[in-house]
Amino acid sequence: MAHAFVKKMLETEAQRYRLQMIACIAGSFVLANSYLAARLYGPEISALLALSAAVLLGAPLIYHALVDLLSESVELNELAALSFVAAFCTAEYNVAAMIALFMVISQLIEFRSQVGARRNIEALLRLAPKRVLVDRNGELTEIDASEVCPGELVHIRPGDGLPGDGIVEEGLSTVNESALTGESMPVEKKAGDHVYAGTVNEGGLLRVRIAAEIKDSTLEKIKEMILHAEESRTPAMRLVDRYAAWYTPVVLALAGLVLFFTHDISRAIAMLVVACPCTIVLSGPSALVAALSAAARVGVIVKDVSALEEASRVTTVVFDKTGTLTTGKLGVDMVESLNGVKRDEVLSLAAALESVSTHPVARAVVREAGTLHKASTRLEAVHEEPGMGITGMVDGTWVCVGRQEWITAQCLEQGGAFENRRGWGSVVVVAKEGAPAGAIYLSDTVKEGATGIINALKKER
């Protein structure tokens, strides 16, 4: 339902944007021709063309000014609209068209940024699946994701997205939460762990008990947060709003005084035109929406737009390393061989088993092994314990690859415990025929350019 709402909103805004763009292009073309016609055909034809340009360009400006008035919000658009109307009523069509052109261009910039931000929201909503398997009366039924109710048991297969927030009742797997948390490394989930809408199951089968309405999921709250941020105001913009509340009446009063004492309406119009704060009208909303759109494109969600102004006073930056300064893609740092087994054999045996797994650690090991892993390797009795490790026969040799504790408990003979003497957190133990054969140490890789960014920030202090 939320996806349909955002899609409809996008279509409406896109239509408004196209109509205003057509009016702007056509009006600009006619306005340019009016200046050319003044030299070629005389003032009558020039005035007619300028009148047409003023109508084309002024219609969107008058429309937005009326919308602001009906919503009882005091905006600086009204002053620009009054300047346009005053110039138009005194047959200063070229002046009226130029005023409208500047304002319409600002509105187009703002509309374009808003459409970009909304498209990012639509992409975020696409993370949620459309169809899910639900256990109803002991039978698996495929239904629309929006029909899932709190308390229902949903079966999440490898590669499936989660339709709503819930708690794992059964299963062990890794879940990719990068779309919501920015953490690019998959998170291991077991019975009792919380899972969230929009995340993707990358490992084994999970049975999840949905804990809340789909509309109340974390994904929906993020969507609402983006929309709220787009509609909120920065302190500077709120200052402009207060400024506009008295500025417009004062300017109108002064223009009236000028007209009263001089009896020259062109002077009053000139005052309205000069007093129209186009730069203020252009800068605030356009910069805000453009910033939100740019942030959303790179996966940054702004909860409160006032943070954009606060950023100018930041003196200390704290980074979450994984996925921010690093790629979130594991790489092999070192291979340790034990009990006379050669390094290449440790890597080859591990890669042979890991080649049938989709776990990020498995991918890193296979990638490191490269040509050492032969496609002709014979695998038998392969069994993977999600989140723990994998066992099987590799060319007739019993091999285990996995976590240190799991390997020690499941695969090593008495007295053959592996000792992590290096103290590294990300280590994969390889056992051969019940004895430790070696260990593969992994770590996240630093993003290209991360060092330069840190050094640049240090220079800004």
Side-chain angles (χ1 to χ4, degrees):
M1 186 170 66
H3 179 74
F5 168 74
V6 174
K7 187 176 181 180
K8 183 178 180 180
M9 185 167 52
L10 276 171
E11 291 174 353
T12 303
E13 290 188 347
Q15 185 177 7
R16 288 175 56 193
Y17 175 78
R18 284 193 295 268
L19 290 174
Q20 195 159 336
M21 177 64 77
I22 292 171
C24 182
I25 294 173
S28 300
F29 178 76
V30 175
L31 180 61
N33 281 319
S34 72
Y35 286 102
L36 183 62
R39 295 189 176 186
L40 298 178
Y41 304 109
E44 292 81 7
I45 301 298
S46 175
L48 182 60
L49 290 173
L51 172 63
S52 303
V55 171
L56 285 170
L57 294 168
L61 176 60
I62 298 299
Y63 170 78
H64 287 290
L66 289 174
V67 169
D68 290 341
L69 284 174
L70 292 174
S71 62
E72 299 181 356
S73 63
V74 180
E75 300 282 351
L76 295 176
N77 283 330
E78 281 85 341
L79 190 56
L82 285 171
S83 302
F84 168 82
V85 170
F88 189 88
C89 291
T90 56
E92 296 287 345
Y93 301 129
N94 291 85
V95 174
M98 288 299 296
I99 294 172
L101 178 61
F102 281 114
M103 298 306 300
V104 169
I105 289 175
S106 74
Q107 291 165 0
L108 284 173
I109 294 172
E110 186 174 351
F111 279 161
R112 181 64 186 87
S113 300
Q114 284 177 341
V115 170
R118 297 280 165 79
R119 292 199 183 280
N120 288 317
I121 297 172
E122 187 184 27
L124 184 67
L125 291 175
R126 279 200 293 266
L127 294 172
K130 294 182 179 180
R131 307 283 292 178
V132 291
L133 284 173
V134 179
D135 189 341
R136 289 183 173 175
N137 300 321
E139 294 184 1
L140 288 181
T141 306
E142 187 175 21
I143 64 171
D144 192 78
S146 61
E147 298 176 1
V148 178
C149 300
E152 289 197 297
L153 187 64
V154 179
H155 286 230
I156 309 297
R157 297 162 297 189
D160 286 350
L162 277 87
D165 295 354
I167 300 174
V168 177
E169 281 208 354
E170 186 180 342
L172 183 65
S173 182
T174 54
V175 174
N176 188 338
E177 298 181 343
S178 59
L180 299 186
T181 65
E183 178 65 58
S184 52
M185 290 295 296
V187 180
E188 292 185 357
K189 298 292 183 179
K190 60 183 183 301
D193 289 344
H194 288 269
V195 289
Y196 306 98
T199 59
V200 180
N201 179 23
E202 292 191 340
L205 176 68
L206 290 176
R207 292 178 175 84
V208 177
R209 184 74 65 180
I210 300 300
E213 294 279 356
I214 301 300
K215 63 180 181 180
D216 297 326
S217 68
T218 303
L219 186 65
E220 288 291 322
K221 290 177 181 177
I222 291 175
K223 185 262 296 184
E224 293 295 336
M225 189 186 300
I226 296 175
L227 292 175
H228 175 72
E230 187 178 318
E231 295 171 357
S232 59
R233 319 282 284 177
T234 67
M237 291 175 67
R238 287 194 292 270
L239 179 64
V240 170
D241 290 341
R242 292 196 296 271
Y243 168 74
W246 61 263
Y247 182 80
T248 300
V250 168
V251 170
L252 288 175
L254 292 175
L257 288 174
V258 169
L259 180 62
F260 177 79
F261 286 109
T262 65
H263 302 287
D264 187 352
I265 193 169
S266 62
R267 291 175 182 261
I269 293 173
M271 184 172 183
L272 288 175
V273 173
V274 171
C276 183
C278 295
T279 53
I280 297 176
V281 176
L282 282 165
S283 61
S286 300
L288 169 65
V289 178
L292 291 174
S293 180
R297 278 196 296 271
V298 295
V300 177
I301 297 174
V302 180
K303 183 178 179 181
D304 187 347
V305 292
S306 62
L308 298 175
E309 288 191 3
E310 293 292 337
S312 64
R313 295 187 286 274
V314 168
T315 58
T316 303
V317 179
V318 179
F319 286 98
D320 170 48
K321 178 179 68 65
T322 306
T324 305
L325 300 179
T326 61
T327 61
K329 189 177 181 180
L330 286 174
V332 175
D333 275 344
M334 186 183 68
V335 178
E336 180 183 15
S337 58
L338 301 170
N339 298 328
V341 181
K342 295 182 179 180
R343 176 191 180 279
D344 286 354
E345 185 181 359
V346 172
L347 198 55
S348 178
L349 290 173
L353 279 182
E354 299 283 32
S355 64
V356 300
S357 174
T358 59
H359 195 279
V361 170
R363 295 172 188 160
V365 172
V366 173
R367 190 167 53 248
E368 178 69 18
T371 56
L372 292 177
H373 168 53
K374 300 176 182 178
S376 59
T377 302
R378 182 165 52 91
L379 299 177
E380 298 175 296
V382 177
H383 172 70
E384 183 174 6
E385 191 74 28
M388 293 298 176
I390 187 169
T391 63
M393 302 293 290
V394 179
D395 289 333
T397 302
W398 188 50
V399 178
C400 300
V401 182
R403 289 175 174 246
Q404 177 183 343
E405 301 82 1
W406 185 78
I407 291 289
T408 301
Q410 302 290 327
C411 304
L412 299 184
E413 296 177 354
Q414 190 68 28
F418 168 80
E419 181 183 353
N420 184 1
R421 295 186 296 272
R422 302 181 184 276
W424 287 15
S426 299
V427 56
V428 173
V429 179
V430 181
K432 176 183 177 183
E433 297 293 355
I440 301 173
Y441 296 89
L442 305 100
S443 66
D444 204 351
T445 52
V446 178
K447 281 184 177 179
E448 184 179 355
T451 303
I453 290 173
I454 296 299
N455 291 334
L457 285 173
K458 288 180 177 179
K459 292 179 181 178
E460 293 291 330
R461 290 189 302 178

